[in-house]
Amino acid sequence: MVKNNFWSPYIAGIGLGLTLLATFYIAGWGLGASSAFSLLTGVGLKDVSPGYAGTLKYFSGYLNVESPLMNWVLFEVGGLFLGALAASLISGNFKFRFDKAAHMRTRTRFLTAFGGGILIGFASRLARGCTSGVALSGGAQLAVSGWIFVIAMFVSGFIIAAFFRRLWS
Amino acid sequence: MTAPFIFSQNISLLIAVIAGLFFGLFLERGGLGNPHKLTGVFYLTDFTVPKVMFTAILVAASGLYLLSDLRLLDMDRVWLVPTFFWPQIVGGALFGIGFVVSGYCPGTAVAGFASGRLDAVVTMTGIGAGSLLFAVLYPYSESFCISSAMEGATLPKLLRINHWFVIVFLIIFAGGMFYLMEKYEKRGS
């Protein structure tokens, strides 16, 4: 049985904010996530088809370095996985499952999970990052990027949720 | 010596893992590996996402500008998240759709997977596919992608006011929002 015994969102938010602050202070940049996916995709493509990967200008930034996998955000996302794994195991929230709205068919959920992921991957590249790299990190710097991203994301999210109520409720 | 600091690659990657460990811990403990909680704000059923997000942003913003004002942190050497106005408006809007449809964002999908959610792995695969799609289409989108750049743009610089006015305004705004969310959630339960 999953406990769902989460902390107060304000406590989690303070912890996350202090983590972000310490990262800025020590490393000189904020937290990220989406570029790890883009990097791994580029590296994977280079393994499968080096010739084609070489023609993609966008991936060259990742691939034309000495060791592409020695990447700060990739290691940070590795830590993210381990931190979340430890937290869910210790708190009794770890359980293998295919999570979805109660009424939704597994096949439909497969499509929403994958299709939504494609949109997220594409949008993150266009916006120079995601909720971590642009919204949280940029937001904390009071950067214009962070705040316009947050506003655009919430406005479109509310519109989509209003039209597709059965996705999650 | 003023922060930020310079490290060897090995130490830098060790710091990355440690930062990630805390990032993942607080995401999971805040409930942000759970797609029902992640999408709740868009259905007005669960306001965990804005509560965690705006608390984190305002704690970090207050700390950053305080450390900078005390000259303990050299903001000129901190990498500022760049602004490309229209690409980030369009990117943010597309991202919002992907967020509601999948129930995750990149970091929270990893946290969801770490708590045993296999649908999060499907979303992670989709994020990779979306990155590939972007790279393939980049020759056609590049001119839009690099348009409307705003070098070094921050809200205090743009508005020509002291950064503490912005921070205090945002704290008051978030406080009001949190108050309404708590009231709304109590009414519903």
Side-chain angles (χ1 to χ4, degrees):
Chain A
M1 193 57 212
V2 179
K3 290 183 179 164
N4 284 326
N5 51 350
F6 301 116
W7 293 351
S8 151
Y10 304 113
I11 300 293
I14 290 170
L16 189 53
L18 292 175
T19 305
L20 180 58
L21 177 61
T23 307
F24 272 123
Y25 181 78
I26 296 168
W29 50 77
L31 297 165
S34 64
S35 66
F37 290 86
S38 183
L39 168 75
L40 283 182
T41 305
V43 171
L45 184 68
K46 199 184 176 187
D47 278 347
V48 179
S49 173
Y52 184 60
T55 65
L56 295 180
K57 183 182 171 189
Y58 189 77
F59 282 149
S60 64
Y62 299 119
L63 300 177
N64 293 345
V65 296
E66 203 176 321
S67 34
L69 294 177
M70 296 291 113
N71 174 281
W72 200 92
V73 176
L74 185 62
F75 274 67
E76 180 234 286
V77 170
L80 194 174
F81 177 81
L82 295 175
L85 178 66
S88 71
L89 284 172
I90 292 167
S91 62
N93 270 299
F94 185 92
K95 185 191 165 198
F96 281 115
R97 65 201 120 162
F98 203 75
D99 214 341
K100 58 185 179 62
H103 60 80
M104 190 180 269
R105 294 165 71 174
T106 302
R107 194 173 54 191
T108 313
R109 174 60 183 141
F110 196 92
L111 290 175
T112 63
F114 191 70
I118 291 179
L119 276 171
I120 289 170
F122 187 91
S124 301
R125 302 305 5 112
L126 186 58
R128 273 74 176 173
C130 60
T131 13
S132 311
V134 178
L136 278 183
S137 302
Q141 294 180 308
L142 305 181
V144 173
S145 52
W147 290 93
I148 58 177
F149 182 88
V150 166
I151 293 167
M153 178 185 89
F154 275 111
V155 168
S156 94
F158 276 115
I159 293 170
I160 288 300
F163 279 101
F164 298 94
R165 295 213 64 85
R166 291 176 60 81
L167 273 170
W168 290 102
S169 63
Chain B
M1 196 165 75
T2 315
F5 309 105
I6 309 289
F7 301 99
S8 70
Q9 189 186 49
N10 286 346
I11 300 293
S12 179
L13 293 179
L14 178 67
I15 292 167
V17 174
I18 295 169
L21 284 172
F22 281 100
F23 190 13
L25 168 78
F26 291 120
L27 280 183
E28 199 285 332
R29 287 293 72 213
L32 298 190
N34 177 335
H36 305 275
K37 290 183 89 67
L38 283 161
T39 52
V41 56
F42 298 110
Y43 294 94
L44 306 179
T45 52
D46 185 323
F47 297 97
T48 302
V49 166
K51 286 181 197 169
V52 174
M53 194 168 165
F54 288 110
T55 304
I57 287 176
L58 293 174
V59 165
S62 307
L64 268 179
Y65 281 93
L66 186 65
L67 289 170
S68 169
D69 285 357
L70 296 174
R71 300 189 191 286
L72 295 169
L73 175 70
D74 181 2
M75 283 281 237
D76 291 336
R77 290 194 295 122
V78 173
W79 184 77
L80 179 72
V81 179
T83 301
F84 294 85
F85 191 86
W86 289 112
Q88 280 163 334
I89 294 280
V90 175
L94 288 175
F95 191 97
I97 300 171
F99 194 166
V100 175
V101 171
S102 72
Y104 295 107
C105 56
T108 55
V110 176
F113 175 39
S115 50
R117 289 181 171 83
L118 300 175
D119 55 307
V121 182
V122 179
T123 294
M124 289 164 68
T125 313
I127 296 171
S131 310
L132 179 62
L133 183 67
F134 183 83
V136 170
L137 296 179
Y138 192 65
Y140 309 99
S141 66
E142 184 177 9
S143 59
F144 173 67
C145 197
I146 57 173
S147 68
S148 53
M150 295 165 72
E151 181 102 23
T154 64
L155 297 177
K157 275 188 202 157
L158 197 72
L159 303 169
R160 292 164 196 251
I161 51 174
N162 184 282
H163 43 264
W164 289 108
F165 281 113
V166 180
I167 292 172
V168 169
F169 171 81
L170 290 172
I171 289 174
I172 293 170
F173 176 79
M177 202 174 65
F178 293 161
Y179 173 77
L180 292 176
M181 288 168 179
E182 295 299 334
K183 244 175 92 165
Y184 188 86
E185 281 177 331
K186 277 207 184 72
R187 197 193 65 177
S189 63

